[in-house]
Amino acid sequence: MNAENAFSLAGKTALITGGGSGLGFAMASCMVAAGATVVIADLNEETAKRAAEELGAAAIPMVYDVSKTEMADAFVGAVLEKTGKVDILVNNAGNHKKKPIEEMTVAEFEAVLDVHVVGAFALTKALVPFMKQAGGGSVLFTASMASFIGTPLVSGYQAAKSAYLGLIRGLASELSPSGIRVNGVAPGWIDTPMLRKAIEGDDARKNKILGRTPMKTFGKPEDIGWAACYLASPAASFVTGHVLVVDGGALIGF
Ligand SMILES: NC(=O)c1ccc[n+]([C@@H]2O[C@H](COP(=O)([O-])OP(=O)(O)OC[C@H]3O[C@@H](n4cnc5c(N)ncnc54)[C@H](O)[C@@H]3O)[C@@H](O)[C@H]2O)c1
Ligand SMILES: O=C(O)[C@H](O)[C@@H](O)[C@H](O)[C@H](O)CO
């Protein structure tokens, strides 16, 4: 196999939740560049449509709220009706609530887990029988620095992103015999609307983040897009249960 084929996603179909913005859009854009057809699933119809228009004929916009777990089977059915198959699922959709624990309500905590963990579980569960039938597939999760280190004021987010580590390892172990690989990308601090909103007006936090990132800059969404492409590609065919950290050195640096 030559290098081009090893990293190619030609003929593959990817389903990316939260694909309309930030990291999801970058993953969609990189996967289209690698030859894939991409379903951009997003909560927001306008966001999904605009993103798909930008990527051209290889991108299909669809509206889906991952927290509506009762809709997962019907949504997978609607996707398969359009594409015939899904080779790559990216559980990327995410929300964020930044508050001290005294102010964070149980409902707010649950709402974060409902999107990241319960929603991702439900969609993966709905798709796995079809991946098994097809002889395999690749499932990715967008993890985080919060999967590994403690960050303040985001207790729901911390719990959700840490839960991904267990889910990735457990599902990788369970689904390997069916040819389904399960991996994660753990971004450091990447310049997206979510990060901008989270640090808006908080220069102390911004400087603290950049201070602990040896490369002294926020990452670009494409840095995560290409990492996801690698994990989904034939080049990573023996990689499963792994979380690829893409963080400008933030985890290992000071
Ligand atoms: N930006 C970072 O620094 C960073 C770092 C680590 C992890 N992440 C993770 O990356 C993922 C994407 O974040 P981003 O920074 O690109 O944020 P973003 O806000 O730019 O994009 C998130 C997208 O997800 C969609 N979305 C939100 N809730 C949804 C739901 N219930 N169903 C379907 N779609 C939904 C939004 O409409 C939006 O288009 C999230 O899981 C986030 O936790 C981001
Ligand atoms: O202060 C922080 O460290 C940030 O607010 C983080 O919690 C990010 O928002 C998160 O990585 C998703 O972008």
Side-chain angles (χ1 to χ4, degrees):
M1 187 185 281
N2 63 28
E4 202 182 318
N5 290 342
F7 293 96
S8 171
L9 298 181
K12 303 287 183 197
T13 300
L15 166 58
I16 304 179
T17 65
S21 170
L23 303 187
F25 178 69
M27 290 191 256
S29 169
C30 292
M31 286 188 184
V32 166
T37 297
V38 171
V39 176
I40 293 184
D42 208 285
L43 189 58
N44 183 306
E45 185 172 11
E46 266 317 295
T47 309
K49 276 191 180 158
R50 219 176 315 119
E53 265 165 34
E54 213 173 301
L55 297 182
I60 302 164
M62 289 188 72
V63 177
Y64 181 56
D65 178 347
V66 299
S67 70
K68 302 270 186 287
T69 54
E70 70 281 5
M71 300 299 293
D73 286 323
F75 177 64
V76 164
V79 171
L80 291 173
E81 218 165 274
K82 283 185 194 276
T83 64
K85 62 175 186 148
V86 173
D87 306 287
I88 301 160
L89 167 65
V90 188
N91 288 305
N92 167 78
N95 57 350
H96 200 250
K97 189 57 86 179
K98 207 164 186 176
K99 278 185 178 181
I101 185 165
E102 300 91 325
E103 290 170 27
M104 184 92 72
T105 65
V106 171
E108 285 169 337
F109 180 87
E110 282 176 342
V112 175
L113 286 161
D114 280 348
V115 172
H116 291 271
V117 183
V118 187
F121 169 79
L123 187 57
T124 307
K125 175 180 160 65
L127 198 55
V128 155
F130 297 98
M131 283 187 167
K132 280 190 174 175
Q133 216 170 28
S138 169
V139 179
L140 299 178
F141 290 80
T142 307
S144 170
M145 293 293 97
S147 304
F148 303 104
I149 59 171
T151 58
L153 304 174
V154 288
S155 42
Y157 192 78
Q158 284 285 147
K161 293 304 193 186
S162 299
Y164 273 1
L165 299 184
L167 202 51
I168 288 165
R169 290 168 186 155
L171 292 181
S173 176
E174 182 176 334
L175 297 174
S176 279
S178 308
I180 302 172
R181 298 183 300 106
V182 184
N183 292 292
V185 183
W189 285 271
I190 315 292
D191 188 6
T192 68
M194 183 191 273
L195 178 67
R196 283 182 189 214
K197 193 169 153 219
I199 61 172
E200 201 173 31
D202 187 354
D203 278 354
R205 183 70 190 157
K206 178 181 172 187
N207 293 334
K208 192 159 187 184
I209 291 168
L210 290 175
R212 75 160 289 153
T213 304
M215 287 193 180
K216 299 296 172 220
T217 180
F218 294 130
K220 301 184 297 302
E222 293 73 23
D223 296 326
I224 306 309
W226 292 121
C229 275
Y230 161 69
L231 287 170
S233 75
S237 59
F238 200 50
V239 180
T240 197
H242 184 68
V243 179
L244 180 55
V245 173
V246 182
D247 68 344
L251 262 191
I252 53 81
F254 187 70

